Amino acid sequence: METIQGHKELLLREMEEIKGEEYAVRNPVTAAMDEYAKSLYLKVLCSVVQYGNTPSEMQILYLKRILKGMDSGDTQEECLRKALEMEGSDIREFVNVMKDKEARYYFALEGLLLAGLGERSRDNYEYLGELMGILGLSGRELEYLCQVAKSVLLQQTAVFDSARSLTCGGVEALDFLPYVREYYCGAVVNLNGRKQYYAPDQETSKGMILPNEYRNCDVSFENLAIDMTKAHWLFTRCGEVRFRNCRIEGGNYVIRMSHIKRVVVENCVFRHFTDRVLEMEQGEELEIVGSEFLSCGCILKWLHDYDIGGGVLYCDNSKGANDYVPLRSVLLKDNKFWKCYVASGKCEYVQKMGIIMSYHSGLTTEKIEKMTLIRNEFLECGWHNIRPKAYCTEYGMICNLYAKEEILEGNTGRKNLKDIKELTAEEIRELRVEELGT
């Protein structure tokens, strides 16, 4: 009987460990501290859990999540024991290490969360208040952090958003995503120079209203269902633009990037774009990994002798502007292009055409420094109402991309007329291309 009970307890402990790992609070600021600073941080944080309070199960569980996120080598039992042995000199050293550091704000928030999960005794809160005071936090900053803690404890997006009116000084640039990622839906960071839109899952994000124009900022979108059927999306002179795990429904509009240092697309699905998915002008780095492009293409609207058609992606690396910045690197890896196309309302003749294109005339552009194309699939892609000119130089899935260094591995479809087919009017109708009148 004792053996069975011991085995059950072992299984329960193991399940608790798994929960702690899965829901770890991974704050990059606190995780990056050196081991000495981490030890002081956790020792004082555990003193909050035990001062005038008997640790509850919820406090212990949340403490485990913090420990896992910080990659601490100590168990919660060891941390709690060390806190009981803490002396006045430890507090002084903790203040010396943390004062004027960003980590002190996260300590205050985690202290408030742990205190809120306990008995909420007056002594406990007074002790925490004294700690936050000697760390140099202002009353306004404390008010803001209390509101954020309230949002986390109640799991309410509206409470977090209401705290924005209290932002000031050192708390303005804090990133609270590690604490709110299980429930928050909206702009978790909304600064002039940095914007971060997030939802715990795509279904939850439905109905979120997003701007369609961004300038001079880093911006990211994660776990969102995005409707791009109403207007073009414009990004101008941004540092990094990132889409991660998003489902994006398009229409007769395009995502247009101009003078962007880095564009990253990870594990996204794009559907039913008819004016290309992405046009990139004067960008430095483009990285698309693990994404799908379903029934996306380009309906060409005007053509000249020098025109080329790009069905899904189009990179303009041509010179001209005084602040010309060449495209340095392109990485396309593990992507799927399914039923993508280039089409026209009437029969047109083009010089070059492909599902992925880069404008390169030789004299007016520079070659990409490095192009990496690995395990990209092109399935049932093609063209409609378009014919190659007699001097057509390239006609295929990937066209007019040139680099000083090329890594090409395991792609289905390359620079080849045989790997792209002519689509019938019926096939075009099935792709929801209504503008062609077919």
Side-chain angles (χ1 to χ4, degrees), residues 26-224:
R26 302 189 186 280
N27 185 325
V29 173
T30 57
M33 294 189 300
D34 60 52
E35 290 305 313
Y36 180 66
K38 278 185 186 179
S39 177
L40 283 171
Y41 184 103
L42 291 171
K43 186 184 291 186
V44 179
L45 190 63
C46 286
S47 74
V48 173
V49 175
Q50 296 177 103
Y51 193 96
N53 175 74
T54 301
S56 67
E57 289 185 11
M58 291 297 292
Q59 284 179 310
I60 296 300
L61 181 58
Y62 201 80
L63 182 59
K64 284 182 179 179
R65 293 175 59 188
I66 293 171
L67 292 172
K68 287 292 183 183
M70 291 179 69
D71 295 322
S72 171
D74 290 340
T75 65
Q76 80 274 6
E77 290 88 356
E78 291 170 327
C79 288
L80 290 168
R81 178 184 55 78
K82 289 179 181 179
L84 292 175
E85 299 170 354
M86 193 172 66
E87 299 177 353
S89 59
D90 293 313
I91 294 289
R92 187 178 298 277
E93 187 63 17
F94 169 72
V95 173
N96 289 336
V97 170
M98 291 295 150
K99 202 161 189 178
D100 300 326
K101 298 287 195 310
E102 190 178 48
R104 63 189 172 135
Y105 296 112
Y106 296 117
F107 171 86
L109 176 62
E110 290 176 357
L112 287 166
L113 293 173
L114 287 168
L117 293 170
E119 298 172 354
R120 303 186 183 184
S121 71
R122 180 172 179 174
D123 287 346
N124 188 245
Y125 276 116
E126 285 181 351
Y127 174 68
L128 177 58
E130 288 292 334
L131 286 172
M132 291 189 288
I134 61 177
L135 285 172
L137 276 66
S138 70
R140 178 85 170 185
E141 289 170 339
L142 286 175
E143 187 178 4
Y144 173 67
L145 292 170
C146 285
Q147 192 72 358
V148 173
K150 180 180 178 182
S151 168
V152 177
L153 292 170
L154 296 177
Q155 301 280 281
Q156 291 184 3
T157 292
V159 178
F160 184 90
D161 288 339
S162 70
R164 295 192 194 282
S165 62
L166 301 171
T167 54
C168 62
V171 299
E172 186 179 41
L174 297 179
D175 183 1
F176 295 115
L177 184 57
Y179 306 94
V180 304
R181 65 169 56 253
E182 295 166 32
Y183 70 93
Y184 183 78
C185 182
V188 69
V189 177
N190 192 20
L191 304 173
N192 289 334
R194 183 163 64 97
K195 301 184 184 297
Q196 187 174 6
Y197 299 94
Y198 174 87
D201 56 70
Q202 294 174 2
E203 191 65 27
T204 305
S205 75
K206 288 182 178 179
M208 183 190 299
I209 298 174
L210 296 167
N212 69 310
E213 187 168 355
Y214 302 86
R215 291 178 176 271
N216 303 307
C217 64
D218 291 340
V219 57
S220 68
F221 309 87
E222 185 172 356
N223 300 337
L224 305 182

Side-chain angles (χ1 to χ4, degrees), residues 268-300:
C268 292
V269 176
F270 298 84
R271 304 195 314 163
H272 305 134
F273 281 76
T274 62
D275 193 22
R276 299 191 178 106
V277 174
L278 172 65
E279 291 181 357
M280 189 170 178
E281 175 194 12
Q282 306 279 312
E284 293 187 39
E285 297 180 34
L286 173 62
E287 179 179 320
I288 303 178
V289 177
S291 296
E292 296 184 9
F293 298 83
L294 310 178
S295 301
C296 293
C298 177
I299 302 172
L300 302 177

